[in-house]
Amino acid sequence: MKKIPDSESFTDCHKASRMQFDRAADIMELDQEVRQWLNTSFRELAVRMPVRLDDGSVRVFSGYRVQHNNVRGPHKGGLRYHPDVSLDDVRGLAAWMTWKCALLGLPLGGAKGGITCDPKKMSPGEIERLTREYTHGVGDLIGPTKDIPAPDVNTNAQIMAWIMDEYSKREGYSPGVVTGKPIELGGSAGRIDATGKGVSIIVQKWAHKENIRLDKTTIAVQGFGNVGYYAALHLSRLGCRIIAVSDSRSATFNKHGLDIESAKEHKIRKGDLFDFNGGENINPEDVLTQKCDYLIPAALQNAIHGGNFERLQARVIFEAANGPICPFTEPRLPEIGITVLPDILVNGGGVTVSYFEWVQNIQHFEWKEDIISRELEMIMSKTFDAVISLAQERNIAPRLAAFILAIEKVVRAGHLRGIY
Ligand code: NAD
């Protein structure tokens, strides 16, 4: 087996998304002009934000908003707060949003934002001041018909409320400028758990296709934030045994299945999963290599790489996080019998319900949760069927099939608009 150089085991999201795009573009025989158009961002903004900290000092933070493509609708994508945020990661995450929205058939383009900061070491007041400064910095770029941010890693409904408030001060009441807001400010029923629920719909569809009973299925979940927690919760309600979950500092394991709600209560009370009495402590990185049927990485990019893929024991990986598998490692996974269901399909539930929220904001009309649930299920199911059927028809991996379907839609819209 060829050794993968260490430098290729970790890569930024931009390089990863471009490699995935190029693999699909080669099969599609896309011409160079089109590749050049779709390989690069439409617009990139870097902002420097001076923020007064609680101790009276001022610190200057860096933030980004990258708009990849808006040929099918306004730019759409989350906002991430993390010490490792870089422009290259935000570029790649923005491109994935273009492909995700197109694949799902949503009338939206792709964007992403990020601030290099450690929100775990900041007070709520400092985070609020930083968020308002960021909104001021990217204010000309965002808006309900231009670019609509949403929560991502370490951001939440409260942060979306601050963005909406700051933006509304200059533009008038504008709930449609962000999604993932609190319900009281025009947020949507079903948004909080939409990504995790979408993950559970895709797992269900896969198990059904493979004739596997969910109550016979064991699953390990890396990441116990918004996506990981709700994915684990919905899947445990469907009868799956969630044998391990982790956050960045701790992990818990129970071969009989964890009680997900109790684990969450423990995390809220203690701040991590350490010493949860419904499981035993394990190393967070060992969650990935547990013996189980399905693995759900729901934390950050590059979780699975050249240094750990040979120890994976799951047969199927459902990418709930964006870019959790290093693109240099991915081609090796089929050789060891692992199938990957790609992020742009698996975690599409979040942006789908964000789209519903935006539609409700524009209509000034609230949809009930049962409608949202039904529509989400329909879009996720239809997209899963399209990806799997193309993958089977052309004997290609689901990721390639998903990219081909998405790129075709963007290219077609570009032709019709006369963009190139
Ligand atoms: P979050 O901040 O709510 O949770 C992230 C979780 O990952 C936390 O529990 C954190 O402790 C954990 N984590 C970080 N590093 C880890 C490590 N090395 N090992 C184990 N756990 C680790 O973020 P989220 O919104 O749940 O997002 C998770 C992923 O899902 C990201 O890739 C994000 O881009 C993607 N995503 C999120 C949404 C959404 O609606 N929030 C939608 C689509 C995709």
Side-chain angles (χ1 to χ4, degrees):
M1 201 178 264
K2 189 179 138 235
K3 185 107 183 78
I4 293 175
D6 281 349
S7 60
E8 291 186 354
S9 287
F10 294 93
T11 190
D12 62 69
C13 294
H14 186 219
K15 196 165 181 182
S17 73
R18 282 182 71 146
M19 283 175 70
Q20 294 168 353
F21 171 82
D22 284 342
R23 283 171 186 157
D26 287 346
I27 292 191
M28 297 169 78
E29 299 179 353
L30 273 192
D31 61 46
Q32 281 309 321
E33 287 90 347
V34 179
R35 285 180 190 231
Q36 226 181 331
W37 170 52
L38 294 175
N39 245 339
T40 44
S41 317
F42 164 66
R43 185 153 49 188
E44 303 179 346
L45 178 67
V47 284
R48 304 275 173 263
M49 299 158 290
V51 174
R52 190 162 302 282
L53 304 181
D54 292 346
D55 65 6
S57 65
V58 171
R59 186 163 156 209
V60 181
F61 292 86
S62 295
Y64 311 95
R65 186 75 188 167
V66 173
Q67 299 176 332
H68 176 257
N69 188 286
N70 65 350
V71 73
R72 302 183 67 262
H75 299 281
K76 182 92 190 79
L79 172 62
R80 174 176 294 195
Y81 289 2
H82 195 275
D84 296 338
V85 161
S86 69
L87 179 55
D88 272 331
D89 277 336
V90 179
R91 281 187 179 127
L93 290 159
W96 278 324
M97 288 307 296
T98 301
W99 311 130
K100 193 181 302 180
C101 292
L103 175 67
L104 293 156
L106 309 177
L108 296 165
K112 201 80 178 192
I115 300 180
T116 315
C117 65
D118 189 351
K120 287 181 186 153
K121 296 189 178 142
M122 295 169 72
S123 71
E126 289 170 339
I127 294 173
E128 176 176 354
R129 291 193 288 281
L130 176 60
T131 302
R132 289 186 185 279
E133 202 60 37
Y134 178 79
T135 310
H136 173 67
V138 302
D140 287 337
L141 259 55
I142 60 172
T145 61
K146 297 202 266 185
D147 183 354
I148 306 129
D152 190 74
V153 173
N154 291 326
T155 55
N156 54 28
Q158 176 60 74
I159 289 173
M160 296 305 115
W162 290 325
I163 296 176
M164 181 269 203
D165 178 65
E166 198 62 28
Y167 182 84
S168 296
K169 281 180 191 164
R170 51 182 261 188
E171 301 292 337
Y173 187 70
S174 309
V177 66
V178 279
T179 57
K181 298 177 291 293
I183 298 281
E184 297 86 338
L185 295 176
S188 177
R191 176 60 186 92
I192 184 86
D193 65 338
T195 311
K197 188 166 184 184
V199 173
S200 76
I201 293 169
I202 298 298
V203 171
Q204 236 180 318
K205 292 279 296 180
W206 177 266
H208 181 74
K209 180 184 99 57
E210 298 287 292
N211 272 325
I212 290 166
R213 281 177 47 179
L214 283 179
D215 60 356
K216 301 274 183 223
T217 305
T218 51
I219 299 180
V221 181
Q222 183 207 33
F224 205 50
N226 175 279
V227 178
Y229 165 63
Y230 282 113
L233 183 67
H234 282 291
L235 287 163
S236 67
R237 286 179 180 161
L238 289 169
C240 301
R241 242 185 315 144
I242 311 295
I243 55 148
V245 297
S246 61
D247 64 19
S248 56
R249 287 181 302 198
S250 56
T252 181
F253 169 84
N254 184 336
K255 69 175 180 192
H256 302 294
L258 295 158
D259 179 331
I260 297 302
E261 276 169 292
S262 306
K264 184 68 175 179
E265 278 161 27
H266 178 96
K267 182 165 163 71
I268 290 168
R269 228 171 343 105
K270 303 274 181 153
D272 56 32
L273 293 159
F274 193 70
D275 280 351
F276 169 55
N277 65 12
E280 58 186 89
N281 296 328
I282 56 171
N283 285 327
E285 55 274 27
D286 292 343
V287 164
L288 295 170
T289 54
Q290 286 303 317
K291 188 164 170 45
C292 59
D293 299 306
Y294 300 159
L295 174 63
I296 303 185
L300 295 170
Q301 58 271 23
N302 277 317
I304 295 159
H305 48 77
N308 64 10
F309 82 98
E310 283 169 311
R311 284 180 283 123
L312 301 183
Q313 299 193 68
R315 294 297 87 198
V316 187
I317 301 175
F318 294 87
E319 291 188 322
N322 285 308
I325 302 176
C326 167
F328 293 100
T329 303
E330 180 165 15
R332 315 297 299 275
L333 297 176
E335 292 171 13
I336 54 171
I338 297 178
T339 303
V340 176
L341 276 292
D343 44 11
I344 61 170
L345 167 68
V346 174
N347 69 31
V351 71
T352 301
V353 178
S354 271
Y355 163 59
F356 299 157
E357 180 174 331
W358 177 68
V359 170
Q360 293 171 78
N361 294 155
I362 289 168
Q363 294 176 330
H364 300 285
F365 186 79
E366 193 184 310
W367 300 4
K368 296 285 166 265
E369 185 148 15
D370 58 330
I371 298 179
I372 286 161
S373 238
R374 200 179 60 219
E375 295 288 325
L376 172 66
E377 181 113 29
M378 199 193 64
I379 290 178
M380 297 298 293
S381 276
K382 197 176 71 179
T383 310
F384 174 90
D385 292 344
V387 169
I388 296 304
S389 115
L390 185 65
Q392 286 173 341
E393 191 187 305
R394 302 193 49 181
N395 196 23
I396 53 177
R399 185 184 320 277
L400 262 181
F403 264 75
I404 290 171
L405 290 167
I407 293 168
E408 274 171 354
K409 289 188 202 174
V410 175
V411 170
R412 175 90 185 123
H415 274 308
L416 289 168
R417 288 183 64 165
I419 282 175
Y420 64 88

